[in-house]
Amino acid sequence: MKLYDSIGPNPQIVRMFMAEKGIEIPKQTVDLRGGENRQEAHLKRNPMGQMPSLELDDGFHLAEVVPICEYLEEKYPTPPLIGATAEERAECRMWTRRVDLNIAEPMTNGFRFGEGLKFFEKRVVCVPEASPGLKKIAAHRLQWLNEQMADGRDYLCGKRFTLADILLYCFITFAGTVGQPPDPANKNVTAWLARIGARPSAKA
Ligand SMILES: N[C@@H](CCC(=O)N[C@@H](CS)C(=O)NCC(=O)O)C(=O)O
């Protein structure tokens, strides 16, 4: 296997997931700022032109971070970061989907269509007027999440640290560097962020 890696929250999710499992594989850095991911060689790996991509041993290129992590979990089940039982896996997938659709997606597009417009307008369809609304949606869903975490849970799946935490952590910390700082009023999320940030894998 080989990871085609770059800057950005999505590749960081895969690196953090691998670090938690102790997976070490070759990596090749693709110059995202320079647009290498939008050129022919990378489009052959991932026709979406996005990062990261995992080349499997049979030469197949797997893109999209959640399926990449699902694949790694099957190949390296220990420690489980999605779940060891059908129930645990289902709970993690529920939270992963909520984080991905409700928080990461509006947050990212809020950035792409706003602060990131100059960079992204040549790469994807951008709707600048949607940026403030998308940021508002992400902020509102984070408030909702904060309320969900008022029950004293350590992680999104209670006592289990999972892919859902990794996904949320990478997006919240990234967004904080590009104009969407975490709201300190979300005290449960703030405490959770510190808990996840203290893990060695957060530096991956
Ligand atoms: N849904 C994709 C999102 C991938 C994505 O947006 N990657 C960003 C890096 S964090 C990227 O490639 N941005 C540069 C570009 O779109 O040109 C996934 O799960 O992998």
Side-chain angles (χ1 to χ4, degrees), residues 101-150:
L101 290 179
N102 297 343
I103 300 172
E105 200 59 23
M107 203 175 230
T108 307
N109 281 329
F111 160 65
R112 285 184 183 137
F113 304 168
E115 290 82 351
L117 186 62
K118 283 274 163 295
F119 183 82
F120 279 101
E121 64 189 354
K122 295 179 205 78
R123 299 183 181 217
V124 292
V125 175
C126 288
V127 188
E129 63 275 22
S131 173
L134 288 164
K135 290 178 187 173
K136 198 170 161 185
I137 290 170
H140 181 265
R141 305 273 156 83
L142 271 167
Q143 260 172 25
W144 173 83
L145 188 66
N146 189 61
E147 286 159 20
Q148 296 301 306
M149 294 181 89

Side-chain angles (χ1 to χ4, degrees), residues 7-11 32 37-38 49-52 64-65 112 120 123:
I7 55 165
N10 287 289
L32 185 147
N37 57 307
R38 297 275 167 183
Q50 292 176 319
M51 300 301 302
E64 303 294 331
V65 294
R112 285 184 183 137
F120 279 101
R123 299 183 181 217

Side-chain angles (χ1 to χ4, degrees), residues 44-62:
K44 279 194 188 137
R45 296 178 202 122
N46 177 7
M48 290 291 288
Q50 292 176 319
M51 300 301 302
S53 146
L54 182 71
E55 183 177 0
L56 308 187
D57 289 341
D58 65 1
F60 182 79
H61 281 273
L62 186 59

Side-chain angles (χ1 to χ4, degrees), residues 15-78:
R15 291 196 305 273
M16 193 166 166
F17 193 86
M18 292 200 306
E20 288 282 344
K21 284 183 177 280
I23 302 172
E24 287 183 20
I25 57 170
K27 296 190 188 86
Q28 182 173 319
T29 302
V30 173
D31 177 12
L32 185 147
R33 279 208 183 89
E36 192 188 345
N37 57 307
R38 297 275 167 183
Q39 290 164 14
E40 200 184 334
H42 188 71
L43 289 172
K44 279 194 188 137
R45 296 178 202 122
N46 177 7
M48 290 291 288
Q50 292 176 319
M51 300 301 302
S53 146
L54 182 71
E55 183 177 0
L56 308 187
D57 289 341
D58 65 1
F60 182 79
H61 281 273
L62 186 59
E64 303 294 331
V65 294
V66 173
I68 289 175
C69 292
E70 290 266 2
Y71 178 81
L72 292 172
E73 175 94 348
E74 285 201 35
K75 290 287 179 186
Y76 301 86
T78 311

